[in-house]
Amino acid sequence: MIQFGEFIFDAKQARLLTLNGQSDVTLEPKLFELLALFIAKPNEILTRDDLLNHLWAGSLVTDNAINKLIGNLRKALGDNAKSPRYIQTVPKRGYRFVCDVSLYQPTQNQNVLSNSTLPSVIASHTDRRLFVSASVVLFVVIIVILWSTIWPKNEASLRAAMPLTRVPGIEQYHYMHANNRQLFFIKQNDDRSQSQLWFKDTESLLTQRVKLDTSISEIISVIDTNTADNAKIIYLDKTQSQCGVYQANVSIAPNKSAFSKQTEQLFDCSDKRIKDLDYHHQHNVIYYTAQPKNFWPNQIYSFDIKTKTHQILPQPEPKGWGHHHIDISPNGEKLLIMSTDNDHKTQLLALNLTTHKTEVGIKFNRPAYEAIWHHDSSKLYYFSDANTQQIVQSDFNGNNIERVVDSNEALSYRIKRLPNNNLLFATSLNAVNLRWLGGVKESALYNSTVADFAPALLHFNNHYLFASKRSGSMQIYRVNPDSQMVEPVSNFNANYSINSMAISTDDQHLALGVNNQVYYLPLDLLSGETLTSLSHSFLLHESEHPFIAMDWHSDGQLGLTIVKNGIPELQLLDLNKEGKSKRAERWTYSLHDSENPHLNYLIEHNSNLIYRVDTNLALHEAQLTSTEFALPTEFYHAKIDNGIVYFVTTEESGEYLNIRSLDNTQPVNKLRLHQFKSFDVSKGKILLSDMASREGDIYRTL
């Protein structure tokens, strides 16, 4: 073991301990590798290239990844960049570990090391030369182990990649002109700013914004007009209240302002919820997937630009989420379909656009959102498992997998083909954090650069739970704001896709939503060590349909809102009868008021009127009382706390959390959200999960 400052570095067990050996410091794997590198080279300047070569050899990494990693390690060590005790920034050169490093020697009262851990010669003070020699040997052995087992190696099979954009903010929805020179992309400076259309000449490096007559959400296609100074753009403009597909001629002459002209709306899509679009260059047809009634399943449509007509494409019957992402093969003959059923596993299909016959390909054991045809119109490119951040290629049936891109940062959607079997892709770093609303200081939270979401507040103290991938895989964390402690309380071996959590009114049990399954387990099992899996004994209910809301109905029942044939429907799960479900006619949502345990609220289908009910009575015996309060047509994520209703709406300018008194005695309050994920409320305190920042760049393989 190695000692530096107030810490003990245990390379053998990959642990970082405080000096007294009584507590572990939680480090993500890449942070541990960075610390090991600093310890191996104390007081030496490590350049950014050194860090790239040692920590991400053979992988794609942005400068922002290094900044984030250094910042997170400083935070874990309690270091300050302005007056560093451990990591010093050397301007324009790199970083230096300025703390002394030595072999750890425990006192008699410290039991971190057993007597057999160090050679006996070290315990003897009779020969200082032997002590120093043994220390050096042990230190070298540790470093050799780290080099051989932790640090990644170069792999010749991976393609090299180069960045095309390296500016603050996020660049996405990229599309390269057919001349393989002009790159068009959507840029957003932060999560709150409006998306803008930009283009970059990759030879002259001229980069400028294109002024459009409308706003823009996504580039569908760039069409070659056979002139160097003009291009035709087909794009989507989708806000919270409107949706339209447009085409515009864009003037991109050198040394002149870029602007659009002859803008035309191809069709209005406000009656559907668009998921994905692709343009067929040979047929002049746009194929798109959409939810026809704002509910599952998604179906595939086509729009003929010449005749201005829509039609539903002959397709396999959609189920569950339905057909959500598509890609037209380079030869124009086939449509690749990504279809996800109620089992939350994505099936790839190939639809022949002439015969309408369907071929079945890979079925992933998870929801998958990105796959495109290979340049040969036979094989595929797609994202590997989300934890590995790789683009791979394989046969249509999933055989002969080869890695193409390996990235340290998350890969963003929209892989595009370039000439010579190259690819255009983007990275993204989305910090989805927790923050308090309602007068609670936000500084009490401990945010990360990954997604912290599904907050669940306890009712009898100020502790709370949330789900996150801080440690690499999805785990449940518990926070005690008083002691400023955030700790993992699960140790899952599998990567569960947790989407919702609800704590019982007595703080004794946790309902956990994982895909279309509901687990029910005692809170005292959340110790951080014992809960390694969600066994079948915890499974309360498995739905055949997606569910969009979960809340307590009473101490003995859980309300679950499923979506069946495009219509939300309330089911009550009996906790005492192994999750036996009962459909609650007339109702779509159940909301429990944790401040008034005997009261529950039901939302009526179609009218969205809220009714009050006494949970001490059976539902058919209950005295239903209308609050005369109706929620908006397209509300979502509603909760009630002490007679106050909280719900989210989307408006033209964005998403808002609405706060209203059920008896209309208090004024309306609306709070702006930023790419909202989830929230919970107790005693008037709101814990919200939404986007804190976004970064990302566009790359091409070489």
Side-chain angles (χ1 to χ4, degrees):
M1 294 186 183
I2 302 298
Q3 178 180 335
F4 66 94
E6 301 174 354
F7 300 95
I8 304 166
F9 181 82
D10 185 350
K12 184 177 181 180
Q13 298 187 32
R15 301 167 66 197
L16 179 65
L17 308 170
T18 55
L19 187 57
N20 59 18
Q22 298 302 310
S23 61
D24 282 48
V25 178
T26 302
L27 289 183
E28 299 172 5
K30 194 62 69 176
L31 287 181
F32 188 85
E33 296 175 35
L34 175 61
L35 179 58
L37 179 60
F38 277 130
I39 290 175
K41 298 177 178 291
N43 295 307
E44 293 185 24
I45 295 177
L46 297 178
T47 66
R48 299 177 77 85
D49 286 341
D50 290 333
L51 300 184
L52 287 170
N53 292 334
H54 288 299
L55 298 177
W56 290 286
S59 299
L60 167 72
V61 194
T62 66
D63 288 342
N64 187 60
I66 298 176
N67 298 338
K68 292 289 186 182
L69 204 64
I70 293 290
N72 287 344
L73 182 56
R74 280 174 168 153
K75 186 175 181 179
L77 299 177
D79 202 11
N80 188 324
K82 295 182 179 180
S83 55
R85 299 175 57 200
Y86 300 106
I87 303 170
Q88 179 189 58
T89 299
V90 183
K92 298 183 179 181
R93 297 188 64 185
Y95 302 94
R96 177 164 45 209
F97 196 69
V98 295
C99 184
D100 291 336
V101 174
S102 62
L103 191 67
Y104 174 63
Q105 301 178 70
T107 64
Q108 293 181 352
N109 295 328
Q110 292 173 314
N111 298 317
V112 176
L113 291 175
S114 64
N115 291 334
S116 60
T117 303
L118 296 177
S120 59
V121 66
I122 294 179
S124 173
H125 297 278
T126 59
D127 194 332
R128 297 297 300 173
R129 288 175 300 174
L130 286 178
F131 173 79
V132 173
S133 299
S135 301
V136 172
V137 169
L138 182 60
F139 186 83
V140 171
V141 167
I142 290 173
I143 299 305
V144 170
I145 291 173
L146 287 170
W147 272 84
S148 62
T149 61
I150 296 178
W151 292 330
K153 315 295 188 299
N154 281 298
E155 297 193 35
S157 62
L158 299 178
R159 298 186 192 178
M162 65 173 290
L164 299 179
T165 61
R166 299 299 290 269
V167 293
I170 185 168
E171 294 80 53
Q172 58 188 347
Y173 297 120
H174 39 274
Y175 208 105
M176 186 71 79
H177 192 282
N179 60 22
N180 200 31
R181 172 177 172 176
Q182 293 162 335
L183 172 68
F184 291 84
F185 57 91
I186 305 297
K187 176 175 173 55
Q188 213 174 9
N189 292 328
D190 57 52
D191 65 295
R192 307 172 194 183
S193 64
Q194 187 178 29
S195 297
Q196 302 170 347
L197 175 63
W198 286 67
F199 89 94
K200 178 177 183 177
D201 188 307
T202 57
E203 293 185 8
S204 68
L205 302 183
L206 171 67
T207 303
Q208 61 178 314
R209 179 185 173 185
V210 180
K211 296 180 180 179
L212 290 174
D213 296 332
T214 68
S215 57
I216 183 170
S217 306
E218 179 178 344
I219 301 171
I220 301 172
S221 184
V222 177
I223 302 173
D224 189 359
T225 61
N226 296 318
T227 59
D229 297 343
N230 290 277
K232 181 181 288 185
I233 307 294
I234 299 178
Y235 64 94
L236 174 69
D237 175 17
K238 183 173 66 172
T239 64
Q240 306 298 339
S241 60
Q242 63 184 23
C243 178
V245 175
Y246 296 82
Q247 69 177 7
N249 289 321
V250 177
S251 175
I252 49 174
N255 303 318
K256 293 184 179 180
S257 297
F259 63 95
S260 64
K261 53 185 178 180
Q262 299 175 345
T263 300
E264 175 190 1
Q265 184 182 58
L266 297 178
F267 64 90
D268 182 272
C269 49
S270 56
D271 61 332
K272 299 181 179 69
R273 184 169 293 176
I274 296 287
K275 292 294 294 184
D276 195 17
L277 308 96
D278 201 7
Y279 173 68
H280 198 301
H281 288 260
Q282 296 94 323
H283 297 166
N284 199 24
V285 170
I286 296 174
Y287 291 94
Y288 63 96
T289 66
Q291 299 173 10
K293 295 180 180 179
N294 287 334
F295 291 107
W296 296 284
N298 295 287
Q299 300 184 45
I300 305 173
Y301 301 80
S302 66
F303 174 76
D304 189 306
I305 294 179
K306 183 178 181 179
T307 63
K308 309 295 184 184
T309 56
H310 295 266
Q311 66 175 0
I312 297 180
L313 210 64
Q315 60 194 278
E317 181 183 358
K319 298 178 181 178
W321 298 358
H323 311 318
H324 47 87
H325 285 77
I326 54 175
D327 183 60
I328 299 168
S329 60
N331 62 15
E333 297 176 358
K334 295 179 291 186
L335 185 68
L336 181 66
I337 303 171
M338 308 191 72
S339 186
T340 302
D341 205 338
N342 295 318
D343 60 2
H344 289 256
K345 297 178 180 179
T346 299
Q347 175 73 64
L348 295 191
L349 306 169
L351 178 67
N352 188 296
L353 293 174
T354 302
T355 66
H356 297 120
K357 291 183 178 180
T358 303
E359 182 183 355
V360 178
I362 305 171
K363 184 168 186 177
F364 298 96
N365 61 359
R366 55 182 170 82
Y369 308 99
E370 182 75 353
I372 66 170
W373 288 109
H374 190 277
H375 295 75
D376 63 7
S377 297
S378 177
K379 297 193 290 290
L380 301 173
Y381 296 110
Y382 54 90
F383 287 161
S384 183
D385 184 270
N387 291 327
T388 58
Q389 302 303 335
Q390 298 170 351
I391 299 175
V392 301
Q393 69 177 38
S394 77
D395 297 337
F396 182 64
N397 58 13
N399 295 330
N400 301 315
I401 298 176
E402 298 179 21
R403 290 196 293 170
V404 177
V405 172
D406 196 347
S407 171
N408 179 67
E409 292 192 3
L411 295 170
S412 183
Y413 301 140
R414 301 298 183 264
I415 310 171
K416 295 294 183 181
R417 292 174 294 270
L418 294 177
N420 301 318
N421 286 342
N422 282 309
L423 296 175
L424 189 68
F425 63 96
T427 61
S428 65
L429 183 62
N430 299 329
V432 178
N433 289 166
L434 302 178
R435 60 187 178 106
W436 288 107
L437 300 176
V440 183
K441 290 185 178 180
E442 188 172 335
S443 60
L445 299 182
Y446 306 92
N447 297 329
S448 71
T449 57
V450 296
D452 294 344
F453 64 100
L457 297 166
L458 276 76
H459 306 99
F460 294 100
N461 58 47
N462 59 356
H463 294 200
Y464 60 88
L465 305 178
F466 67 91
S468 179
K469 287 188 176 181
R470 291 183 175 208
S471 61
S473 61
M474 184 70 72
Q475 302 293 344
I476 301 173
Y477 290 78
R478 182 167 182 153
V479 178
N480 179 354
D482 292 336
S483 62
Q484 299 186 349
M485 289 291 293
V486 53
E487 57 179 344
V489 291
S490 68
N491 189 25
F492 295 137
N493 298 319
N495 188 27
Y496 294 109
S497 181
I498 299 172
N499 48 47
S500 56
M501 295 194 293
I503 298 173
S504 61
T505 55
D506 58 4
D507 284 356
Q508 297 299 308
H509 290 84
L510 173 68
L512 196 62
V514 180
N515 290 333
N516 59 336
Q517 298 172 321
V518 179
Y519 292 87
Y520 180 65
L521 58 156
L523 270 179
D524 58 15
L525 280 181
L526 300 178
S527 65
E529 297 292 337
T530 57
L531 190 62
T532 59
S533 65
L534 293 172
S535 66
H536 188 76
S537 62
F538 299 138
L539 183 61
L540 176 68
H541 181 75
E542 187 166 13
S543 174
E544 296 180 357
H545 306 278
F547 66 87
I548 57 175
M550 180 176 69
D551 203 348
W552 299 95
H553 178 70
S554 65
D555 290 338
Q557 287 184 315
L558 188 70
L560 193 70
T561 301
I562 67 170
V563 178
K564 189 175 182 180
N565 298 322
I567 299 174
E569 173 184 300
L570 177 63
Q571 290 190 354
L572 300 179
L573 308 184
D574 195 324
L575 304 177
N576 300 317
K577 296 182 180 180
E578 298 181 349
K580 184 177 179 181
S581 64
K582 176 184 177 182
R583 181 184 176 188
E585 301 284 350
R586 179 181 172 188
W587 313 108
T588 55
Y589 296 88
S590 174
L591 304 176
H592 192 258
D593 189 339
S594 59
E595 293 297 293
N596 299 284
H598 66 287
L599 292 180
N600 197 77
Y601 296 86
L602 297 169
I603 300 177
E604 188 176 43
H605 181 58
N606 290 329
S607 72
N608 286 342
L609 276 169
I610 300 178
Y611 286 77
R612 186 182 297 111
V613 60
D614 191 329
T615 57
N616 294 324
L617 301 174
L619 187 59
H620 66 278
E621 301 172 349
Q623 297 296 319
L624 292 170
T625 304
S626 174
T627 64
E628 299 183 357
F629 185 101
L631 290 164
T633 302
E634 294 188 359
F635 80 93
Y636 51 98
H637 211 101
K639 291 183 178 294
I640 291 181
D641 177 64
N642 200 25
I644 307 296
V645 60
Y646 302 76
F647 59 94
V648 180
T649 57
T650 56
E651 302 175 18
E652 185 172 354
S653 57
E655 291 178 300
Y656 290 87
L657 177 63
N658 298 262
I659 305 173
R660 297 277 299 274
S661 170
L662 285 173
D663 57 12
N664 291 313
T665 59
Q666 294 187 12
V668 178
N669 194 3
K670 291 175 64 174
L671 303 174
R672 178 68 186 271
L673 307 178
H674 311 296
Q675 299 198 23
F676 162 80
K677 300 300 180 182
S678 53
F679 79 93
D680 197 13
V681 57
S682 179
K683 299 179 177 63
K685 296 187 297 183
I686 308 163
L687 186 57
L688 174 75
S689 169
D690 66 354
M691 189 75 69
S693 63
R694 302 183 73 192
E695 292 287 341
D697 294 297
I698 299 171
Y699 290 78
R700 65 165 299 162
T701 61
L702 301 175

